[in-house]
Amino acid sequence: MSNPYAPPDPSRPKPDPDRHSARPPGLPSAARIGTDRGAEPPRPAPTPEQLIEISRSVMFFGLLLLAAVLTSGLPIPWQVAAPVFAAGAIVVGLRTLGRIRRAGVRGMISVFLTGGMVLSALMLFSSVTLLSLWPAQVERQQCLDSALTIAAQDRCEQQFSEAVAERYGTDGSGG
């Protein structure tokens, strides 16, 4: 009697999986059925030209997002550019994500790009919200320009908070 725990003999021919089944010969075995159909062929690696195009798009997206962040802190007439830059960043980000998917680029770039697009959407929302307070912001800026003391600056901020509370119907108490 042979040892059942011994490794298989390499000189012995391998058994045919179709021979022991009840189906006719020539049909694929059950182990190969799922792999024959519907399997996607591997994508070719992205070309250097595609990678250059994608990296330029990502850099342009980053510049638009940076411009949105920087212009949101400027005085009121220049703040109008912030939502424009943020919306442009969202559009460029979506187009770049499409290029990344079509090229089959793997890695964290799509995760970072998606995070940047979320940040762009938040910038867009916050800058549009601030622009909805245009008259109150103009008053605040004029008040802060003429405020020479910290107490005067605090009064300007208090007047702005009251204008925001009046505009949105809140009491301004924060709770």
Side-chain angles (χ1 to χ4, degrees), residues 6-89:
D9 185 15
S11 62
R12 188 172 164 202
K14 295 187 179 189
D16 184 18
D18 290 335
R19 188 182 70 162
H20 297 292
S21 66
R23 65 183 169 277
L27 288 178
S29 67
R32 288 182 276 159
I33 287 177
T35 59
D36 290 349
R37 294 179 284 145
E40 224 177 88
R43 284 189 174 177
T47 64
E49 292 81 18
Q50 286 175 323
L51 293 176
I52 289 171
E53 181 182 327
I54 288 170
S55 66
R56 282 185 183 152
S57 293
V58 169
M59 283 182 39
F60 187 56
F61 167 78
L63 287 175
L64 286 172
L65 182 57
L66 179 65
V69 170
L70 293 178
T71 56
S72 68
L74 293 176
I76 195 74
W78 302 106
Q79 278 184 3
V80 174
V84 174
F85 286 132

Side-chain angles (χ1 to χ4, degrees), residues 70-146:
L70 293 178
T71 56
S72 68
L74 293 176
I76 195 74
W78 302 106
Q79 278 184 3
V80 174
V84 174
F85 286 132
I90 291 172
V91 169
V92 169
L94 286 172
R95 293 182 69 183
T96 305
L97 273 177
R99 286 183 183 147
I100 287 172
R101 290 197 61 150
R102 280 192 301 276
V105 176
R106 302 282 185 228
M108 293 297 290
I109 188 152
S110 59
V111 173
F112 289 130
L113 195 60
T114 304
M117 286 175 44
V118 168
L119 182 61
S120 296
L122 290 173
M123 283 295 305
L124 178 65
F125 178 73
S126 67
S127 60
V128 167
T129 303
L130 282 177
L131 288 177
S132 71
L133 298 167
W134 185 285
Q137 279 204 329
V138 169
E139 273 184 37
R140 176 178 171 253
Q141 283 180 359
Q142 290 171 347
C143 182
L144 286 174
D145 286 343
S146 64

